[in-house]
Amino acid sequence: MTTYGGRRTQGERDAITVEIGYALCSAAFAAAVLFGAVAGPAYLFGLSGGVRGVLVGAGAVLAAVVFIARVASVLLRFGRGGQPSQPGRTNPDS
């Protein structure tokens, strides 16, 4: 965003804050949907304790992995400047 040691403008700080919030909210939503998809059938169909435990555990692990991956991908893309300067416009060479 700025040179090393330089101060960020208020606009740059606001953009970082918004991007962090977006990363956390979208990651939480994705993790919740995945957890519900994996662990939900255990409760919906009344499966036994052992099977239910495996599904809930697998859902929790997968949800955590998806959460971390989503946050990392959004923040890394923002750090590289992956956002277009003019939304809706593409490079004519693409």
Side-chain angles (χ1 to χ4, degrees), residues 29-71:
F29 179 76
V33 167
L34 181 65
F35 179 79
V38 173
Y43 294 103
L44 183 65
F45 299 121
L47 300 176
S48 67
V51 175
R52 184 180 329 154
V54 169
L55 286 176
V56 170
V61 168
L62 289 173
V65 169
V66 165
F67 182 85
I68 292 168
R70 177 68 181 159
V71 169

Side-chain angles (χ1 to χ4, degrees), residues 89-94:
R89 300 199 177 202
T90 60
N91 187 352
D93 296 333
S94 60

Side-chain angles (χ1 to χ4, degrees), residues 76-89:
L76 288 174
R77 185 181 63 218
F78 178 74
R80 283 194 306 255
Q83 302 295 325
S85 60
Q86 296 178 339
R89 300 199 177 202

Side-chain angles (χ1 to χ4, degrees), residues 13-41:
R13 288 192 306 252
D14 290 345
I16 292 169
T17 302
V18 167
E19 199 67 21
I20 290 170
Y22 168 73
L24 292 174
C25 289
S26 67
F29 179 76
V33 167
L34 181 65
F35 179 79
V38 173

